Amino acid sequence: MEWKRSAFDWNQARAFLVTAEEGSLSAAARALGLTQPTLSRQVAGLEEALGVTLFERTSRALLLTQSGVKLLADFRTMGDAANNISLAATGQSQAVTGHVLISATDLMARYLLPPVLKKLRRTAPDLQIEIIASNELSDLRRREADIAVRHSRPNDAALFAKRLHDKKAHLFASKEYLDEVGRPETLADLEKLTFVGFDQPELRLGLMASRGVKLTTANFNFSTSSATLALELVRQGFGIGLLPTEISEHCPELENPYSEFEPISIETWLVAHRELKTNLRIRVVFDLLAEGIG
């Protein structure tokens, strides 16, 4: 390794990473407990050390440059490594025990959490994990949960949020249903079929229209507030559903009824109270969730 090439200050790297994650110097300064001028100097120092411009500074916001976007993934890896070092060092004198409450949507809790929980059981077998499987947002400020998996960024400065990789949602239907009604070849064919609604169907009409699919509430013969029930209805041939693409891996009886439909991007955020920085058990769970769901 060429050590002279990596001579920049880790504090400067952390300043860049947190600023990029939080979206502004003021939010990053709050997250790190620094003043905004100090943080700004650290970011500027990193730019000077690397010889690149990381942010485009406008009157309203900081925007990552192409160089900043390219380097962000590497700095995230550095940040994760630094956290792991801290946890390993702390773990030498502090056992990871206690209760951690996780909130996630029912579909995510059903299909995405179990593999992470298996690894967590091996890593910290003395932890007691409780899961709230609900599509309602848990109030972390009121301690309704320690960690939440959400599909929107929280705007509460008292919370720490890490954006995970966006998920994709696509149309799925059972082979049985498509064998019965025929596989649509055009948008007009698709618009004649039955859909399974998650939440209120009218909330989905605009989203589908943005993809060129003009539906009405009459297309939705069945709807539910439960994503897992919506999935089961799709599996049993009640109609077409809009589902995360990862779910199809667990359901080989489903297929994409219309491949030209543009997938919908779903933001995924891992959120915790800021005591995350000092609470070992919450940090362990948070990091494993970030890695597993990531």
Side-chain angles (χ1 to χ4, degrees):
M1 179 174 179
E2 297 185 43
W3 296 105
K4 291 183 179 180
R5 289 181 177 268
S6 57
F8 59 83
D9 189 331
W10 160 242
N11 287 323
Q12 295 175 346
R14 184 180 64 165
F16 163 68
L17 175 59
V18 178
T19 301
E21 296 281 6
E22 295 292 332
S24 70
L25 285 169
S26 57
R30 287 194 299 269
L32 292 173
L34 300 173
T35 65
Q36 187 169 327
T38 297
L39 192 70
S40 181
R41 286 194 298 271
Q42 290 182 347
V43 173
L46 180 63
E47 290 178 320
E48 182 179 355
L50 296 178
V52 298
T53 301
L54 299 171
F55 290 106
E56 178 183 347
R57 292 159 174 82
T58 69
S59 59
R60 295 184 177 181
L62 286 179
L63 302 176
L64 281 170
T65 62
Q66 289 186 0
S67 297
V69 172
K70 290 179 180 178
L71 293 174
L72 181 57
D74 291 329
F75 279 110
R76 280 177 174 155
T77 300
M78 289 180 61
D80 290 340
N83 287 332
N84 290 337
I85 290 170
S86 296
L87 287 175
T90 307
Q92 294 175 5
S93 60
Q94 183 178 358
V96 185
T97 62
H99 178 270
V100 178
L101 184 57
I102 304 170
S103 172
T105 64
D106 58 351
L107 202 60
M108 182 170 289
R110 167 66 177 83
Y111 288 98
L112 299 185
L113 284 191
V116 181
L117 298 178
K118 284 185 178 180
K119 185 172 182 179
L120 179 60
R121 183 174 58 183
R122 295 193 299 269
T123 303
D126 293 329
L127 278 178
Q128 296 174 325
I129 304 298
E130 182 180 352
I131 300 167
I132 301 174
S134 172
N135 299 311
E136 299 293 331
L137 288 181
S138 296
D139 190 336
L140 274 67
R141 291 290 296 272
R142 296 183 178 180
R143 292 300 191 271
E144 292 178 353
D146 296 308
I147 301 172
V149 187
R150 297 179 177 175
H151 293 304
S152 61
R153 179 176 183 168
N155 53 16
D156 190 334
L159 301 179
F160 175 84
K162 180 175 184 178
R163 186 170 184 174
L164 308 180
H165 293 299
D166 289 356
K167 307 299 181 184
K168 298 290 184 182
H170 214 299
L171 297 179
F172 289 100
S174 71
K175 294 179 174 64
E176 175 189 4
Y177 174 74
L178 295 175
D179 288 342
E180 177 184 342
V181 302
R183 286 161 176 78
E185 297 181 358
T186 66
L187 279 176
D189 292 338
L190 182 65
E191 291 164 358
K192 295 176 183 177
L193 301 182
T194 299
F195 285 73
V196 173
F198 170 55
D199 287 336
Q200 301 174 15
E202 55 267 25
L203 299 178
R204 300 282 175 253
L205 300 183
L207 184 61
M208 297 299 291
S210 71
R211 297 301 193 273
V213 185
K214 299 178 181 179
L215 304 178
T216 70
T217 54
N219 288 98
F220 294 84
N221 286 1
F222 299 91
S223 60
T224 173
S225 61
S226 167
T228 51
L229 177 55
L231 170 61
E232 190 60 28
L233 291 174
V234 173
R235 292 179 65 184
Q236 295 196 27
F238 284 83
I240 299 171
L242 184 63
L243 301 167
T245 54
E246 294 96 338
I247 301 304
S248 64
E249 300 172 5
H250 302 272
C251 306
E253 69 275 20
L254 299 183
E255 67 176 71
N256 180 349
Y258 191 72
S259 60
E260 295 184 20
F261 181 84
E262 181 185 352
I264 293 171
S265 184
I266 306 173
E267 289 187 10
T268 305
W269 293 84
L270 198 57
V271 186
H273 200 272
R274 290 203 174 276
E275 71 172 308
L276 168 77
K277 296 180 178 180
T278 57
N279 189 311
L280 179 61
R281 68 177 184 277
I282 295 179
R283 183 82 236 192
V284 167
V285 177
F286 187 96
D287 287 344
L288 282 175
L289 287 171
E291 177 185 348
I293 298 173

